[in-house]
Each structure stands twice: as structure tokens, then as C-alpha cells.
Amino acid sequence: MIKRCALVVTYNRPKLLVRCLDALVNQSLKLDAIIIIDNGSGIETKIKLKETNYIDKNVNDYNDKYESEIDSIRNNINIHYLSFKYNKGPGFAFYRGVQLFESLNYNWLWMMDDDGFPDKGCLFNLDIHSKKADFLNPVVLDEKKTDKLAFGLYDKKKLVEIKTKDDAIKSAENGLIHGVANPFNGTYVSRRLVNEIGFPQHEMYGWGVEVEYENRAKKSGFNVVTVAEAYHFHPESRVRQVSILNGKYRLNLQTNSFKNYIDIRNRNYIWYRYYGLSMNIKYFMAYFYYFVSKNKFRSIVLYIEAAIDGVCAKWNKEKRFDG
């Protein structure tokens, strides 16, 4: 019998977490379990989970250890709630969640953050294609403009951008768009894949850990697909992008040095590991051109440091830029 488990990573967003959990327990294809990884949230999250019957343990009995696990049952679905004392970043939270899944008796894992939530038929529509791929993603729609994608996709086979729900359906072949995904937004992976490629790389801390996992799956020979009629809702991307050289390059610009350092380091790590040094050089020239044109010389220094750290896989330096 196939057993399916969801994984939700949360940090100080109790209302959004419960919205996501409610969507999970009401899926048309029933889940067997939900893993909640609480990445160092305050007591409000535990109170909300207790009030909504997602955990049974009295919050006043919650211990002060670094990591504590509470098991309960909701709607005949096993709830595994794992809470950290400190925020270790989303990368570690997904790492620990996949690690917990691997130790339990479930066959498929469905991964997401707390600020997204799946359509009622999302799991069913993913699962009907589970014999065709081991890494399946829904189309991730803007929660406010539900005909539009929250992040967008690029169909490498047809060389077209996918910006809307209709675009996704048109790009699909037998219901699937091959080779692209918005990972960790309703991503559905098999135990076979986890056993083969391991866990998300927690040293990356955050932004980019999901892209690395997708690339690792591809490199190991697993099919990565987006299911055109499976839908997951999420806020529109908050990352600012600029296009330069007549749209040849799109550059991410995060909101502060902490996020910029992590984004640049992790992207350079991924480019070097999966696409070769030429990709790092190409994007260094693109960012250099942009920063010089805007007289942002400090940004050049940060980029060089982060890029070198990414290529050399030097981790844990992001705290220097926090705050």
C-alpha cells in the first residue's frame, strides 16, 4: 500500500501555517501523514496548532531542548511536529524534514513552505503521474491572480516562457512539462529518489537549496516534471529582477546584503557544480556590468566574495551580513 506524507516548513506564520494544513487534510486524495518543521517560531505557533487540534500536547509542557518532537493524529492523519529552539534557516528545516521522512514508513513526500497551499485536487493530480517521474511539481499560481504563475517557468524544449495557467496547459505534453519546476512549492518526490540523492544541502542555509536539490535529481537521472493541471497557490515572488542587454540576462536583486550574499553564493555554487565555470564567468560579467552602470561598487565587492565562496563551497559566512 502506497503511503503519502506531506512536509511543511514554518517560521512565525501561524495563520498561514494553519491555512496550509487545512488544505492538506482536505485533499481529495488522502494523506497518511504530515510532518511540520517549526524552525524556531515563538510560542504563538504552538498555541495556534493546539487550538486547531494539530498537536495534542499542552504547550506549557513543551520542553526547552534544541529539538523536540510531538506526535498526534488529526482526521486519521499522523502529525509529526518537530520544533527547533533556534532558527537554523529554511535549508536546514527542509533537510531535517526529509531526513525524518526517510526514517519513517512512507513512500512519497510532498514538500512546501507555510505561505503556500495546494488546490484540493493537487495531490491527486500529481499522484496519477507518479509512475512517469520521481520529482513532480504542480504549477505554482499567484494566490491573488490565480490565472498567473507566482514565479514563472521556462519551457526549454519549446523555448517559451510560461507565465499563465493557460501557457502551462499549452506547453504540456500528455499533461507534463518536462525538465522544469518551481521546487519546494508542492514538490512530490519518491522514497527512491531520496534514497538515491540524499537530503537537501542544509549548509546553503536558504535561497537556492531547492534549486540545488532539483539539479541533483536531474544529474542522477531522475525525471523532473511539472504537472500542468496540478495547482499550488503562493504569494507572487518578492525577489526583484532586472533585465540587461536586451533581456539576455535576468539578475536577482535581493532586499539586503544578507539575502544578496546567500543568493549569490548559492547560485555560484550551483552554476559551478552543475553547469561549469563558464556559467560563473558569464554571470559575473553580467552583474559587473550592471553594478558599474549603477555606480554600486560595494555590490561588486560583495558579489566577488560571495561568488568565490560559492565556487569553493565555503559555508556559514552569511551571519556576517545579518543585521
Side-chain angles (χ1 to χ4, degrees), residues 309-323:
D309 289 344
V311 170
C312 298
K314 292 183 179 179
W315 309 112
N316 302 316
K317 292 175 64 176
E318 61 273 353
K319 293 179 182 178
R320 291 177 47 221
F321 300 92
D322 192 5

PDB file of all heavy atoms in Angstrom, residues 309-323:
ATOM      1  N   ASP A 309      33.103  32.193  -2.545  1.00  0.00           N
ATOM      2  CA  ASP A 309      32.648  31.254  -1.516  1.00  0.00           C
ATOM      3  C   ASP A 309      31.770  30.164  -2.118  1.00  0.00           C
ATOM      4  O   ASP A 309      31.834  29.001  -1.706  1.00  0.00           O
ATOM      5  CB  ASP A 309      31.881  32.000  -0.419  1.00  0.00           C
ATOM      6  CG  ASP A 309      32.790  32.860   0.446  1.00  0.00           C
ATOM      7  OD1 ASP A 309      34.019  32.645   0.406  1.00  0.00           O
ATOM      8  OD2 ASP A 309      32.267  33.743   1.151  1.00  0.00           O
ATOM      9  N   GLY A 310      30.945  30.525  -3.097  1.00  0.00           N
ATOM     10  CA  GLY A 310      30.097  29.532  -3.744  1.00  0.00           C
ATOM     11  C   GLY A 310      30.898  28.519  -4.539  1.00  0.00           C
ATOM     12  O   GLY A 310      30.699  27.308  -4.415  1.00  0.00           O
ATOM     13  N   VAL A 311      31.819  28.998  -5.353  1.00  0.00           N
ATOM     14  CA  VAL A 311      32.644  28.103  -6.169  1.00  0.00           C
ATOM     15  C   VAL A 311      33.481  27.181  -5.278  1.00  0.00           C
ATOM     16  O   VAL A 311      33.653  25.995  -5.571  1.00  0.00           O
ATOM     17  CB  VAL A 311      33.543  28.924  -7.116  1.00  0.00           C
ATOM     18  CG1 VAL A 311      34.583  28.030  -7.785  1.00  0.00           C
ATOM     19  CG2 VAL A 311      32.687  29.624  -8.172  1.00  0.00           C
ATOM     20  N   CYS A 312      33.974  27.724  -4.168  1.00  0.00           N
ATOM     21  CA  CYS A 312      34.832  26.949  -3.260  1.00  0.00           C
ATOM     22  C   CYS A 312      34.043  26.212  -2.179  1.00  0.00           C
ATOM     23  O   CYS A 312      34.646  25.550  -1.321  1.00  0.00           O
ATOM     24  CB  CYS A 312      35.855  27.869  -2.600  1.00  0.00           C
ATOM     25  SG  CYS A 312      36.990  28.653  -3.765  1.00  0.00           S
ATOM     26  N   ALA A 313      32.703  26.328  -2.219  1.00  0.00           N
ATOM     27  CA  ALA A 313      31.827  25.674  -1.234  1.00  0.00           C
ATOM     28  C   ALA A 313      32.222  26.031   0.195  1.00  0.00           C
ATOM     29  O   ALA A 313      32.348  25.171   1.068  1.00  0.00           O
ATOM     30  CB  ALA A 313      31.822  24.160  -1.431  1.00  0.00           C
ATOM     31  N   LYS A 314      32.400  27.326   0.433  1.00  0.00           N
ATOM     32  CA  LYS A 314      32.678  27.817   1.782  1.00  0.00           C
ATOM     33  C   LYS A 314      31.362  28.256   2.412  1.00  0.00           C
ATOM     34  O   LYS A 314      30.693  29.152   1.903  1.00  0.00           O
ATOM     35  CB  LYS A 314      33.662  28.987   1.734  1.00  0.00           C
ATOM     36  CG  LYS A 314      35.060  28.601   1.290  1.00  0.00           C
ATOM     37  CD  LYS A 314      35.990  29.801   1.335  1.00  0.00           C
ATOM     38  CE  LYS A 314      37.407  29.421   0.925  1.00  0.00           C
ATOM     39  NZ  LYS A 314      38.311  30.608   0.951  1.00  0.00           N
ATOM     40  N   TRP A 315      31.017  27.628   3.538  1.00  0.00           N
ATOM     41  CA  TRP A 315      29.708  27.851   4.143  1.00  0.00           C
ATOM     42  C   TRP A 315      29.814  28.617   5.463  1.00  0.00           C
ATOM     43  O   TRP A 315      30.899  28.828   5.989  1.00  0.00           O
ATOM     44  CB  TRP A 315      29.008  26.507   4.375  1.00  0.00           C
ATOM     45  CG  TRP A 315      28.969  25.640   3.158  1.00  0.00           C
ATOM     46  CD1 TRP A 315      29.620  24.461   2.960  1.00  0.00           C
ATOM     47  CD2 TRP A 315      28.254  25.886   1.933  1.00  0.00           C
ATOM     48  NE1 TRP A 315      29.358  23.954   1.714  1.00  0.00           N
ATOM     49  CE2 TRP A 315      28.521  24.803   1.059  1.00  0.00           C
ATOM     50  CE3 TRP A 315      27.413  26.912   1.495  1.00  0.00           C
ATOM     51  CZ2 TRP A 315      27.974  24.721  -0.218  1.00  0.00           C
ATOM     52  CZ3 TRP A 315      26.869  26.833   0.218  1.00  0.00           C
ATOM     53  CH2 TRP A 315      27.151  25.750  -0.621  1.00  0.00           C
ATOM     54  N   ASN A 316      28.648  29.009   5.963  1.00  0.00           N
ATOM     55  CA  ASN A 316      28.473  29.585   7.305  1.00  0.00           C
ATOM     56  C   ASN A 316      29.057  30.986   7.464  1.00  0.00           C
ATOM     57  O   ASN A 316      29.299  31.424   8.587  1.00  0.00           O
ATOM     58  CB  ASN A 316      29.070  28.655   8.380  1.00  0.00           C
ATOM     59  CG  ASN A 316      28.438  27.276   8.356  1.00  0.00           C
ATOM     60  OD1 ASN A 316      27.219  27.153   8.241  1.00  0.00           O
ATOM     61  ND2 ASN A 316      29.267  26.243   8.440  1.00  0.00           N
ATOM     62  N   LYS A 317      29.251  31.702   6.366  1.00  0.00           N
ATOM     63  CA  LYS A 317      29.735  33.080   6.469  1.00  0.00           C
ATOM     64  C   LYS A 317      28.603  34.102   6.390  1.00  0.00           C
ATOM     65  O   LYS A 317      28.833  35.297   6.559  1.00  0.00           O
ATOM     66  CB  LYS A 317      30.764  33.357   5.366  1.00  0.00           C
ATOM     67  CG  LYS A 317      32.068  32.589   5.535  1.00  0.00           C
ATOM     68  CD  LYS A 317      33.008  32.789   4.358  1.00  0.00           C
ATOM     69  CE  LYS A 317      33.457  34.226   4.219  1.00  0.00           C
ATOM     70  NZ  LYS A 317      34.443  34.391   3.120  1.00  0.00           N
ATOM     71  N   GLU A 318      27.371  33.625   6.155  1.00  0.00           N
ATOM     72  CA  GLU A 318      26.259  34.557   5.942  1.00  0.00           C
ATOM     73  C   GLU A 318      25.936  35.393   7.182  1.00  0.00           C
ATOM     74  O   GLU A 318      25.411  36.508   7.064  1.00  0.00           O
ATOM     75  CB  GLU A 318      25.000  33.815   5.481  1.00  0.00           C
ATOM     76  CG  GLU A 318      24.448  32.793   6.448  1.00  0.00           C
ATOM     77  CD  GLU A 318      25.073  31.426   6.299  1.00  0.00           C
ATOM     78  OE1 GLU A 318      25.856  31.212   5.355  1.00  0.00           O
ATOM     79  OE2 GLU A 318      24.783  30.566   7.145  1.00  0.00           O
ATOM     80  N   LYS A 319      26.268  34.891   8.369  1.00  0.00           N
ATOM     81  CA  LYS A 319      25.936  35.624   9.590  1.00  0.00           C
ATOM     82  C   LYS A 319      26.653  36.967   9.670  1.00  0.00           C
ATOM     83  O   LYS A 319      26.199  37.877  10.360  1.00  0.00           O
ATOM     84  CB  LYS A 319      26.271  34.764  10.809  1.00  0.00           C
ATOM     85  CG  LYS A 319      25.380  33.536  10.938  1.00  0.00           C
ATOM     86  CD  LYS A 319      25.759  32.683  12.137  1.00  0.00           C
ATOM     87  CE  LYS A 319      24.892  31.434  12.207  1.00  0.00           C
ATOM     88  NZ  LYS A 319      25.279  30.561  13.342  1.00  0.00           N
ATOM     89  N   ARG A 320      27.766  37.102   8.963  1.00  0.00           N
ATOM     90  CA  ARG A 320      28.481  38.382   8.930  1.00  0.00           C
ATOM     91  C   ARG A 320      27.633  39.492   8.332  1.00  0.00           C
ATOM     92  O   ARG A 320      27.849  40.675   8.606  1.00  0.00           O
ATOM     93  CB  ARG A 320      29.764  38.250   8.101  1.00  0.00           C
ATOM     94  CG  ARG A 320      30.839  37.393   8.725  1.00  0.00           C
ATOM     95  CD  ARG A 320      32.025  37.275   7.788  1.00  0.00           C
ATOM     96  NE  ARG A 320      32.421  38.572   7.256  1.00  0.00           N
ATOM     97  CZ  ARG A 320      32.780  38.780   5.989  1.00  0.00           C
ATOM     98  NH1 ARG A 320      32.777  37.784   5.132  1.00  0.00           N
ATOM     99  NH2 ARG A 320      33.134  39.973   5.584  1.00  0.00           N
ATOM    100  N   PHE A 321      26.667  39.109   7.488  1.00  0.00           N
ATOM    101  CA  PHE A 321      25.857  40.100   6.781  1.00  0.00           C
ATOM    102  C   PHE A 321      24.470  40.260   7.398  1.00  0.00           C
ATOM    103  O   PHE A 321      23.671  41.054   6.914  1.00  0.00           O
ATOM    104  CB  PHE A 321      25.708  39.690   5.315  1.00  0.00           C
ATOM    105  CG  PHE A 321      27.019  39.573   4.587  1.00  0.00           C
ATOM    106  CD1 PHE A 321      27.688  38.358   4.526  1.00  0.00           C
ATOM    107  CD2 PHE A 321      27.589  40.678   3.979  1.00  0.00           C
ATOM    108  CE1 PHE A 321      28.899  38.246   3.857  1.00  0.00           C
ATOM    109  CE2 PHE A 321      28.800  40.574   3.314  1.00  0.00           C
ATOM    110  CZ  PHE A 321      29.456  39.355   3.251  1.00  0.00           C
ATOM    111  N   ASP A 322      24.173  39.504   8.442  1.00  0.00           N
ATOM    112  CA  ASP A 322      22.838  39.524   9.045  1.00  0.00           C
ATOM    113  C   ASP A 322      22.717  40.703   9.999  1.00  0.00           C
ATOM    114  O   ASP A 322      23.385  40.765  11.024  1.00  0.00           O
ATOM    115  CB  ASP A 322      22.586  38.225   9.805  1.00  0.00           C
ATOM    116  CG  ASP A 322      21.122  38.073  10.199  1.00  0.00           C
ATOM    117  OD1 ASP A 322      20.310  38.920   9.794  1.00  0.00           O
ATOM    118  OD2 ASP A 322      20.804  37.098  10.901  1.00  0.00           O
ATOM    119  N   GLY A 323      21.832  41.637   9.658  1.00  0.00           N
ATOM    120  CA  GLY A 323      21.610  42.794  10.514  1.00  0.00           C
ATOM    121  C   GLY A 323      22.611  43.888  10.284  1.00  0.00           C
ATOM    122  O   GLY A 323      22.562  44.929  10.899  1.00  0.00           O
TER     123      GLY A 323
END
